[in-house]
Amino acid sequence: MKSKANESQGMLLFKLSAMQTFAIGTLKVREIVPYCSLTALPGSHHTVVGTANMRGITTPIIDMAKAIGYPAVGKEEYDNCFIIITDCQRRVVGFLVRGIEKISECDWRNITPPPNTLGTHAFLTGVMNVDEKIVQLLDVELIMSKVFPTSEDKLHPILADVDREKLKPMHILLVDDSSLARRQLSEALDSINIPYVVSANGLDALEKMKDSAMQGRPFDIVVSDIEMPGIDGYELAFEIRSNNSLSEAYLILHTSLSSEISVDRAHQVGAHEALEKFDATELVTAMLRGATLKTQNESVRLEGTVE
């Protein structure tokens, strides 16, 4: 099965330094524009170099090199730079980069997780080989969290005691390649004392689900990111739906992509819901909908065939 994400998702390759090429998924990109004059934003994060009016939207512009620990872009370099306008985590933001290389087709199976030697604070979610050179896939969510921290009321869910008791017996799997997202998901459920299992990619998640099903305790609720190395969230949804021992899982696609993801689209790829990151109460409420069906012994298996 060819993933529906892979049908339209490519990689935008760009430069933050002379030697290293970086990338982000094209689904996050609204447009690419040459450097333009910026307006200073007093009191902003030290990596925000100003704001620009992009199609009527006042858009903060982040020096991406500086944000991930590389030398900041000097003003004398600006005329040769580009701004990548992204729509991610419910916010339109521009990233100032030193150069644009190209948009490349990408098979997400060929993206490997970053080496453990980079530590937990590296701004990477994966590494891939393009035209015989190593390209590093950036964790945009982690960068955004450093510049625009999520408010506490979005990180900790509000849940009534009676609803917590419905959710507590559920066997829950959280799947995300972003270290930040995994931490946010974990903290959200820890704060309401809900047990869970975590996976960093789709392949590992699928193995965990199969192993758990063989042991007689299939997962009841799966929360998965869309953009992941190995197999993405769409393909994971298909695999879950196609396996009778897994297909009773209530699947929620949880993504930083701010473009509209309808419930119909979620159903089309084998999921029950699609939510934008990150609102813990919204997410837990969706999980509760799945738990309610499960406790009522209702089948959550979606009918039909994924093309």
Side-chain angles (χ1 to χ4, degrees):
M1 192 279 295
K2 185 177 181 181
S3 164
K4 290 187 176 290
N6 288 341
E7 290 176 4
S8 58
Q9 168 93 312
M11 283 291 172
L12 173 63
L13 276 55
F14 54 89
K15 288 286 191 182
L16 299 181
S17 69
M19 301 298 293
Q20 181 59 54
T21 300
F22 294 88
I24 60 175
T26 54
L27 289 179
K28 289 187 172 78
V29 179
R30 277 195 169 194
E31 60 180 319
I32 304 164
V33 298
Y35 172 80
C36 57
S37 179
L38 303 178
T39 302
L41 186 62
S44 61
H45 191 270
H46 69 278
T47 63
V48 176
V49 293
T51 64
N53 188 306
M54 297 294 176
R55 304 186 187 279
I57 301 174
T58 300
T59 305
I61 309 300
I62 298 169
D63 181 339
M64 184 179 269
K66 186 176 182 180
I68 69 169
Y70 278 68
V73 178
K75 291 184 178 180
E76 70 280 2
E77 300 178 75
Y78 282 178
D79 288 344
N80 297 317
C81 292
F82 289 84
I83 297 173
I84 302 170
I85 307 300
T86 64
D87 192 350
C88 178
Q89 289 192 319
R90 312 182 191 220
R91 187 187 292 268
V92 177
V93 172
F95 289 102
L96 181 68
V97 300
R98 284 188 162 93
I100 299 294
E101 290 200 355
K102 64 177 182 178
I103 292 177
S104 175
E105 292 185 359
C106 174
D107 186 341
W108 285 73
R109 292 183 183 89
N110 295 331
I111 301 174
T112 58
N116 292 331
T117 53
L118 293 177
T120 58
H121 298 291
F123 291 90
L124 304 179
T125 60
V127 178
M128 56 187 173
N129 190 300
V130 179
D131 298 334
E132 304 303 320
K133 64 182 177 183
I134 298 298
V135 175
Q136 298 181 0
L137 179 61
L138 284 176
D139 187 342
V140 177
E141 294 169 34
L142 184 55
I143 298 172
M144 296 274 284
S145 74
K146 302 294 185 183
V147 182
F148 307 109
T150 305
S151 60
E152 287 297 318
D153 64 318
K154 297 292 186 182
L155 291 172
H156 297 129
I158 299 172
L159 192 66
D161 288 344
V162 63
D163 290 332
R164 182 186 294 109
E165 294 309 308
K166 289 181 185 176
L167 199 53
K168 207 165 190 175
M170 295 293 108
H171 198 198
I172 298 170
L173 178 62
L174 310 175
V175 192
D176 207 299
D177 64 323
S178 167
S179 59
L180 168 75
R182 292 195 301 275
R183 186 165 67 249
Q184 288 178 331
L185 289 165
S186 298
E187 288 179 1
L189 294 191
D190 285 342
S191 70
I192 53 175
N193 298 315
I194 301 298
Y196 57 88
V197 176
V198 178
S199 180
N201 60 72
L203 287 171
D204 179 67
L206 193 57
E207 289 306 309
K208 280 184 168 66
M209 292 189 72
K210 289 178 179 177
D211 289 345
S212 194
M214 287 181 64
Q215 295 168 19
R217 197 189 176 205
F219 282 97
D220 299 300
I221 299 171
V222 177
V223 178
S224 177
D225 187 26
I226 291 177
E227 297 180 296
M228 296 185 294
I231 61 174
D232 61 32
Y234 291 136
E235 198 162 0
L236 177 62
F238 177 87
E239 295 293 342
I240 291 171
R241 189 174 170 184
S242 302
N243 188 317
N244 287 335
S245 65
L246 311 180
S247 60
E248 284 290 349
Y250 191 85
L251 178 58
I252 302 167
L253 293 180
H254 190 228
T255 176
S256 61
L257 302 174
S258 296
S259 54
E260 287 189 12
I261 302 175
S262 68
V263 174
D264 286 344
R265 170 69 165 166
H267 286 174
Q268 183 184 14
V269 298
H272 297 83
E273 304 196 38
L275 302 175
E276 290 180 29
K277 299 174 183 175
F278 187 85
D279 186 320
T281 297
E282 182 177 274
L283 175 61
V284 169
T285 300
M287 295 168 71
L288 184 62
R289 286 193 284 271
T292 299
L293 289 176
K294 303 291 286 189
T295 54
Q296 292 173 348
N297 292 319
E298 296 282 347
S299 174
V300 301
R301 185 176 302 177
L302 291 172
E303 299 301 329
T305 301
V306 178
E307 298 178 356

